[in-house]
Amino acid sequence: MSSTTHRLPLLMCATVLGLLLTGCGGGGGDSDGPTATPSPRPSASATPTTSAPPSPPSSPVTAFPTPADGTDLKACADGRCEVEVRSGDRITFAGDSVRLDGFTVVRIADDVLTYKAAGPGTNFDGTMTVPGTLVVNDLEVEVVAVDGDRAVIRLA
């Protein structure tokens, strides 16, 4: 390959770059900085208008989700469900797939779910918030949402 062949792509790139930079130059003024266009000012005879003060931006309202299994805690017997729970609710498990006897919602307040769980040779308690996930044995408990004295939890 000749040196001319190697220079041709370089020359084309330099030409395109030069054209692009020239096109971005602005309007033919002699100033080095950006130019500002003066904004029109209202005339002294203009009547002032009044408008309501701007309202503060509203925060998006997130609706409390409707759980797939509603409030049917028996749907959780196999360790797979999504239910609404309240303080005092107890979920019991059937068979050996979960290796827990039960999961009790002790209290729901201030966006915190307090629980107790028990199984063969194990008893424990704790708290969860949104988002929060507890994994014990083969069971995963996720707090999906909390609203006042109720919560939606998903077991998997």
Side-chain angles (χ1 to χ4, degrees), residues 68-153:
D69 297 302
T71 57
D72 181 12
L73 302 182
K74 292 178 183 177
C76 300
D78 63 353
R80 307 278 183 259
C81 66
E82 183 180 77
V83 291
E84 179 181 322
V85 293
R86 295 184 180 263
S87 298
D89 282 349
R90 177 172 167 77
I91 298 171
T92 55
F93 303 106
D96 295 330
S97 64
V98 176
R99 296 186 295 164
L100 282 176
D101 297 329
F103 180 89
T104 302
V105 177
V106 176
R107 182 173 174 236
I108 301 171
D110 302 321
D111 293 335
V112 176
L113 182 145
T114 304
Y115 66 88
K116 283 186 180 181
T122 186
N123 289 305
F124 58 94
D125 56 18
T127 59
M128 299 171 64
T129 58
V130 176
T133 303
L134 164 72
V135 178
V136 59
N137 295 337
D138 296 325
L139 178 68
E140 181 177 302
V141 181
E142 176 187 0
V143 178
V144 176
V146 174
D147 180 35
D149 65 345
R150 62 186 182 149
V152 171
I153 62 173

